[in-house]
Amino acid sequence: MKYQKLGNTDIEVSRISFGAWGIGGGNVWSDMSVDVRHVRDLLDHAYDLGINYIDTAPVYGVGTSEKILGEALKGCRDRFIVQTKCCLNWRNEGGEFEYVRDGYTVNKDHHASAIRKDVEDSLVRMSLDHIDVEVVHRMSSVVPVEETMSELNKLIEEGKIRAVIISNSEPQNYEEYAKYGVIAGVQEKFSLLSDDKRRYFDTLKKYGAVFQVYGSLDEGILAGPAILEKTFGADDIRSKSKWMKEPGRTALKKMYEMLAPLCEKYNCSYANLVQAWTLRQDPNINLLTGFRRFATMDDTCKVFDISLSDEDVQEISRIAEITKKG
Ligand SMILES: NC(=O)c1ccc[n+]([C@@H]2O[C@H](COP(=O)([O-])OP(=O)(O)OC[C@H]3O[C@@H](n4cnc5c(N)ncnc54)[C@H](OP(=O)(O)O)[C@@H]3O)[C@@H](O)[C@H]2O)c1
């Protein structure tokens, strides 16, 4: 495993982090349900592989991911940097409507009182005395950043959280947040086929902050052609992907055909190839990957064994552009 400093903090994290959205299950990750025992085994496995950084959120399974994780962390909490999120809640206390999930209405609220309640609820759900990293899950156009950050800074002073990251943001959001305190990094969707968040790199370099990538495998869609043989429930995150419906499906199939010789050349899985490309985009990337199985965790850790040539990095980018054009 490789490690990196989490921005300008004293926190050292593994460059592969363990995304715990999937363990929240529900209609969104409908193909597998996991219990505390399984998550405990996953944590042991992560520890053996050197992964010390776990990401969850209150809304993952509307409290389920945090609850299971908290139970599983009993007795091994000190081994991990625990990261969760704030500003999305299902308390029916107002805020901006975001979505309905598993029968709950999720609202976005960045007011100081809501941020504090989010943190306190997470601490109770996970039975923790502090959270290492608190992520502002989405950006607000309603509540001033100064109010949100002033509460997060108070929570740091009180020892309830140690560091702050922002998510689903743009460089101008980062600049605004950084006026009010230390922002250790950003957590952004970035994959071969997604919106190009490379526009963030210069800002993060200037501040010495980490670029934590989520969805580098597009929720498993980019993990290999086997996904094309599977069907998922209507509310499952993978059913909603444009790559699972025509014309995206055919484009994805062609992309795998074009990537196959490179997998053969590097003797690696499609997931390894895609994530090796991701890591090559910037030296400061943290690869947040969702895991519910030991095998996928094992495979992902092999990414550091792959050293793509510059030409092959360009070739993968070229294949991605063809795929995006359909
Ligand atoms: N800030 C945000 O708004 C936001 C949004 C989405 C996600 N996130 C965070 O980011 C994390 C990662 O995102 P994600 O889970 O949506 O997507 P992801 O990491 O792109 O994909 C996860 C899927 O890929 C599979 N997988 C992982 N490694 C693999 C490998 N080497 N070979 C084959 N399959 C592999 C996993 O399988 P198994 O599950 O079967 O092991 C899982 O089904 C989440 O868990 C969550 O913590 C944050």
Side-chain angles (χ1 to χ4, degrees):
M1 183 51 56
K2 295 191 175 177
Y3 297 86
Q4 65 192 141
K5 265 278 171 67
L6 194 69
N8 289 322
T9 70
D10 60 356
I11 302 174
E12 175 115 326
V13 292
S14 50
R15 286 196 71 198
I16 293 174
S17 37
F18 175 176
W21 183 16
I23 67 171
N27 294 332
V28 184
W29 290 91
S30 57
D31 59 328
M32 182 178 176
S33 66
V34 296
D35 58 13
V36 174
R37 180 66 193 265
H38 181 73
V39 176
R40 179 63 213 243
D41 289 345
L42 283 174
L43 290 181
D44 284 345
H45 201 64
Y47 178 74
D48 290 343
L49 290 166
I51 298 174
N52 74 345
Y53 191 12
I54 312 169
D55 176 82
T56 182
V59 285
Y60 294 167
V62 277
T64 310
S65 173
E66 283 193 337
K67 273 191 206 143
I68 295 185
L69 188 61
E71 271 299 305
L73 279 167
K74 285 185 178 148
C76 63
R77 198 277 175 243
D78 293 348
R79 289 178 169 180
F80 297 102
I81 301 299
V82 178
Q83 170 170 290
T84 189
K85 308 194 180 76
C86 59
C87 91
L88 294 180
N89 75 73
W90 59 97
R91 294 190 295 264
N92 290 319
E93 292 170 353
E96 301 157 71
F97 171 77
E98 283 290 298
Y99 52 78
V100 172
R101 189 157 286 170
D102 288 333
Y104 294 89
T105 298
V106 174
N107 291 321
K108 185 169 80 172
D109 193 344
H110 289 73
H111 285 103
S113 55
I115 297 293
R116 176 164 291 270
K117 183 86 175 93
D118 291 343
V119 170
E120 286 171 351
D121 285 353
S122 291
L123 288 170
V124 170
R125 249 182 247 117
M126 293 193 279
S127 308
L128 298 182
D129 63 359
H130 75 275
I131 290 156
D132 296 296
V133 188
E134 188 70 23
V135 182
V136 183
H137 207 149
R138 295 189 179 187
M139 298 293 97
S140 172
S141 50
V142 176
V143 180
V145 169
E146 186 174 7
E147 175 174 344
T148 307
M149 272 302 284
S150 138
E151 199 61 20
L152 287 165
N153 285 331
K154 277 188 209 155
L155 288 158
I156 292 178
E157 278 165 31
E158 292 165 22
K160 291 188 172 162
I161 62 174
R162 292 173 66 198
V164 175
I165 274 184
I166 61 170
S167 182
N168 299 302
S169 63
E170 292 292 335
Q172 59 269 29
N173 298 121
Y174 187 96
E175 297 278 2
E176 181 65 14
Y177 267 81
K179 283 184 196 162
Y180 304 103
V182 175
I183 305 299
V186 299
Q187 187 185 110
E188 302 298 328
K189 171 132 191 179
F190 180 50
S191 79
L192 256 184
L193 300 182
S194 69
D195 173 27
D196 192 348
K197 285 266 173 149
R198 277 179 281 209
R199 60 181 175 272
Y200 230 131
F201 292 165
D202 287 345
T203 306
L204 298 176
K205 197 171 175 192
K206 182 170 122 193
Y207 287 92
V210 162
F211 187 81
Q212 185 174 46
V213 167
Y214 75 79
S216 61
L217 296 176
D218 259 314
E219 292 105 16
I221 306 284
L222 289 179
I227 195 85
L228 291 163
E229 309 305 321
K230 295 186 183 167
T231 48
F232 299 99
D235 288 334
D236 193 287
I237 190 77
R238 291 149 295 187
S239 287
K240 294 179 191 292
S241 167
K242 71 179 217 182
W243 305 107
M244 293 299 273
K245 303 167 196 147
E246 292 300 348
R249 210 180 161 80
T250 299
L252 188 70
K253 190 165 178 281
K254 282 190 191 145
M255 183 190 84
Y256 282 126
E257 284 162 11
M258 290 186 273
L259 292 179
L262 288 167
C263 290
E264 210 168 304
K265 175 174 173 184
Y266 289 97
N267 190 23
C268 70
S269 65
Y270 289 95
N272 285 165
L273 193 75
V274 165
Q275 292 194 310
W277 175 90
T278 308
L279 285 172
R280 277 293 294 277
Q281 304 307 307
D282 188 82
N284 214 15
I285 281 179
N286 183 273
L287 201 56
L288 172 57
T289 309
F291 301 119
R292 294 166 303 165
R293 293 171 227 262
F294 308 112
T296 51
M297 209 186 274
D298 286 337
D299 185 59
T300 293
C301 289
K302 290 183 193 154
V303 72
F304 294 120
D305 299 337
I306 298 158
S307 178
L308 295 178
S309 69
D310 291 346
E311 295 72 37
D312 288 337
V313 171
Q314 279 169 22
E315 174 62 2
I316 295 168
S317 302
R318 191 187 69 82
I319 292 171
E321 287 312 311
I322 295 171
T323 309
K324 283 198 251 181
K325 283 183 194 141

